[in-house]
Amino acid sequence: MNRPSSSRIGALIAAQRRAQRLRLRIAAATGAIVAVAATCLLGLSGWFITSAALAGVAGSAAVQAFNYMVPSATIRLLAILRTGARYIERVSGHEAALKALARLRPQLFDALASAPPSRALALASGEASARLVQDVDAVQTLFVRLSAPWALGAGAASAALVAGLASPWAGALLLASMALCAAGALLIARRLAAPAGQAVQIAVGRLKDRLAALEAVSPELKAYGLDRWAATQAAEAAADLDQAQVALTQAGGWMAAWQAVVTGAAVAAVVPATLGASLPLTALAALAAVMGVESVAGLVGALQQNGAAEEAARRLEALPSALHPNRAPVSVAPTLVLQADGAALHPPARLGLIGPSGAGKTTLIERLIGLRDAQPGEARLGDIDVADLTPEDRRPLFAYAAQDVRLIDGTVRENLLLAGPADDDALWRALDDAALAERLRADPAGLDARIGPNGERLSGGERRRLGLARAYLRPAAWLVLDEPTEGLDPATEAQVLKALDRRLKQAGQGLILVSHRSAPTQLCDRTIRVEGVGEDGRVGLAPARRLTPA
């Protein structure tokens, strides 16, 4: 079976193969035992049944002389050996694959998260999900099927030897039949299974991308009565996936049919080659031929999945990654200087960014904290231009609550712990400061209350406050809030801002606040007006204005 040619993914897979070497060797060894035991079991069973039948025909004297104890005991031993070895092979092979994927998936996610923003954000969320889930799952065949060549080799050798007991020509013809079966399966795999497997992986990515895009705007689709249109869009993407899966299944059917044809031809060739041998040995050779060709089935299964595995590896290789993965982190001072007036701001300073909608306020802070590529000369951290710092160097300085809150389909606790480790007391304090604790204490599940996909069981204001509580839990020099009280009623807004003021004083954090509302900006001692993004891509800023905090 082919290995992925991609250098980065190939290196990661090779590293996991080395880490799971013992389990993979156990799977290969037991796979070989299964093939040998299955071939000998069927061959010996055919010999035993035929011999017993002939002894019965020969009369009572032959029956009394026939030794049935040793063959029957051997058959039982081979059956137990095959069953036990198959169990060990499956457990070892799948355990190795699952452990490898459990380590591979976080490595790929970390590479994507630390990639340059212009590349990482260019990948749609649905497509990224498909690559980190379905494509990584498809790669597991590169681990599970490693035992197939060993099983094939052991099966071929044992089948040829068993058939050779009847006639050397029978063993040679059986080996030729097995080679023919493998060659035909390889040809079908290349012509039919590989393109179909590649199409399946691509279609899965397109379907998840389409579904993620539609889900993100589901309220608008319902509001404008576009439910049927959305369902049609999803059905078209699903139809493409169904068509690819049908093609892959048909390829598997052709491979199975080819194997059946070769099995019949192998038996038809082996039986005449045993001319002159006893009937029990002929039966032994015929059934050995069946099991010999059957031992190719593992390789056939691997070939059927090869196209999907190769396409998955190619798609994973295309995932963005860090430009300098082994680069040592740079120590950056939390002093912030914006080009508007050159004033150095140190925590616990509080800066408000104001301006009309679409002026570039969110763009500016996303460039600052490393979610977008920064423009040279726009800002400095310490004495270093932000554009000269990697996102990994900048992000530890900032705790960010975005205007568009993203939540996972899990519990309140799981969403909060994305910020980092924290005990329940810290979680409740953050929820208290976000004016959300009372709502959750009324829920019997408390912190373990499920919020649904992207927090659909919460209101818009509750989702925003849960994102705010999550930002509170991240220890950082600067707390960056983008419209934190948008959509809140005046009483709740006042409660949130009072708790925010108290929390900032206690933690000594600096604040960078974006808001259209006047109440939040009263917490700031300095504001800068954002005037828009120029033709050169730089965000225009007006000189800072000092305020007297409320």
Side-chain angles (χ1 to χ4, degrees):
M1 187 173 59
N2 294 335
R3 297 186 178 186
S5 58
S6 50
S7 57
R8 179 166 60 103
I9 297 302
L12 291 175
I13 292 175
Q16 292 307 316
R17 281 178 175 171
R18 289 192 295 271
Q20 303 299 327
R21 184 182 295 114
L22 177 59
R23 292 184 178 88
L24 293 174
R25 286 178 176 175
I26 292 174
T30 51
I33 293 173
V34 168
V36 173
T39 301
C40 294
L41 174 62
L42 192 59
L44 181 58
S45 298
W47 176 89
F48 182 55
I49 293 171
T50 307
S51 297
L54 291 176
V57 171
S60 60
V63 171
Q64 293 297 325
F66 182 68
N67 182 1
Y68 66 88
M69 296 294 293
V70 173
S72 61
T74 305
I75 289 173
R76 183 169 296 181
L77 173 63
L78 290 172
I80 294 173
L81 188 62
R82 182 186 64 172
T83 303
R86 173 68 75 189
Y87 176 79
I88 296 174
E89 180 209 6
R90 293 295 173 86
V91 170
S92 298
H94 284 84
E95 185 179 14
L98 293 174
K99 286 184 177 293
L101 299 190
R103 291 172 173 81
L104 186 62
R105 189 173 278 116
Q107 289 177 316
L108 293 171
F109 181 83
D110 181 66
L112 176 62
S114 59
S118 58
R119 297 182 59 201
L121 296 178
L123 191 66
S125 59
E127 182 67 26
S129 173
R131 297 194 189 191
L132 291 174
V133 179
Q134 277 76 19
D135 287 339
V136 173
D137 285 344
V139 168
Q140 73 173 311
T141 187
L142 302 177
F143 296 90
V144 174
R145 298 295 182 178
L146 283 177
S147 60
W150 295 91
L152 174 59
S158 59
L161 288 173
V162 170
L165 295 175
S167 167
W169 282 108
L173 287 172
L174 178 53
L175 285 176
S177 299
M178 295 177 66
L180 180 63
C181 182
L186 179 61
L187 180 62
I188 296 172
R190 288 181 175 176
R191 294 289 182 87
L192 300 178
Q198 293 169 356
V200 166
Q201 296 305 119
I202 295 172
V204 167
R206 288 176 178 170
L207 175 60
K208 295 199 73 171
D209 188 32
R210 184 72 56 84
L211 291 176
L214 293 173
E215 183 183 17
V217 294
S218 58
E220 289 82 359
L221 293 174
K222 292 178 181 178
Y224 288 98
L226 295 175
D227 304 62
R228 290 188 177 182
W229 175 85
T232 302
Q233 293 291 307
E236 289 177 356
D240 292 340
L241 175 59
D242 290 342
Q243 185 177 0
Q245 289 176 329
V246 167
L248 182 60
T249 303
Q250 289 176 339
W254 282 110
M255 296 171 81
W258 171 251
Q259 183 179 341
V261 169
V262 175
T263 299
V267 174
V270 166
V271 170
T274 63
L275 186 64
S278 64
L279 285 179
L281 287 178
T282 299
L284 181 148
L287 293 178
V290 173
M291 287 309 300
V293 179
E294 178 65 23
S295 65
V296 184
L299 180 63
V300 171
L303 291 173
Q304 184 180 356
Q305 299 178 43
N306 227 22
E310 289 181 351
E311 178 63 21
R314 185 193 67 78
R315 285 162 53 84
L316 291 174
E317 180 66 23
L319 279 175
S321 60
L323 293 178
H324 308 289
N326 299 319
R327 176 179 172 273
V330 174
S331 178
V332 182
T335 303
L336 172 64
V337 180
L338 295 178
Q339 53 91 6
D341 62 350
L345 302 177
H346 312 270
R350 302 178 185 182
L351 174 66
L353 297 177
I354 60 175
S357 179
K361 301 182 295 297
T362 299
T363 298
L364 177 61
I365 60 174
E366 287 182 349
R367 287 178 180 176
L368 181 64
I369 67 179
L371 294 180
R372 293 179 184 266
D373 292 328
Q375 292 286 327
E378 212 165 43
R380 296 198 312 272
L381 283 171
D383 296 326
I384 308 174
D385 194 309
V386 169
D388 295 331
L389 293 170
T390 65
E392 294 88 344
D393 295 330
R394 285 176 269 161
R395 289 173 186 168
L397 297 176
F398 301 98
Y400 180 42
Q403 182 177 4
D404 183 15
V405 182
R406 295 290 181 175
L407 302 171
I408 62 173
D409 184 5
T411 65
V412 172
R413 185 195 310 275
E414 289 168 342
N415 275 275
L416 291 176
L417 290 179
L418 291 175
D423 57 27
D424 284 4
D425 289 340
L427 300 184
W428 281 116
R429 284 195 299 272
L431 291 170
D432 272 321
D433 290 342
L436 195 57
E438 184 177 351
R439 152 77 166 82
L440 293 171
R441 287 193 177 99
D443 191 309
L447 293 174
D448 295 316
R450 302 196 67 84
I451 64 172
N454 203 26
E456 66 176 15
R457 297 181 184 177
L458 303 176
S459 68
E462 288 170 343
R463 292 177 67 254
R464 190 179 299 277
R465 282 177 282 157
L466 184 57
L468 179 62
R470 184 168 59 193
Y472 284 162
L473 291 166
R474 177 174 169 83
W478 292 96
L479 180 63
V480 183
L481 306 180
D482 192 351
E483 302 288 359
T485 61
E486 186 72 18
L488 302 184
D489 60 83
T492 304
E493 180 182 46
Q495 184 181 354
V496 169
L497 294 178
K498 182 178 179 181
L500 172 60
D501 182 55
R502 181 180 65 250
R503 193 176 185 96
L504 290 172
K505 290 176 179 176
Q506 292 173 350
Q509 275 184 307
L511 175 67
I512 301 174
L513 175 72
V514 173
S515 182
H516 289 93
R517 303 166 71 92
S518 60
T521 56
Q522 296 302 312
L523 293 178
C524 301
D525 48 39
R526 192 180 195 89
T527 62
I528 292 181
R529 185 173 182 81
V530 180
E531 298 184 325
V533 181
E535 295 182 358
D536 58 356
R538 295 168 64 88
V539 177
L541 303 176
R545 182 167 64 92
R546 292 186 177 277
L547 298 175
T548 301

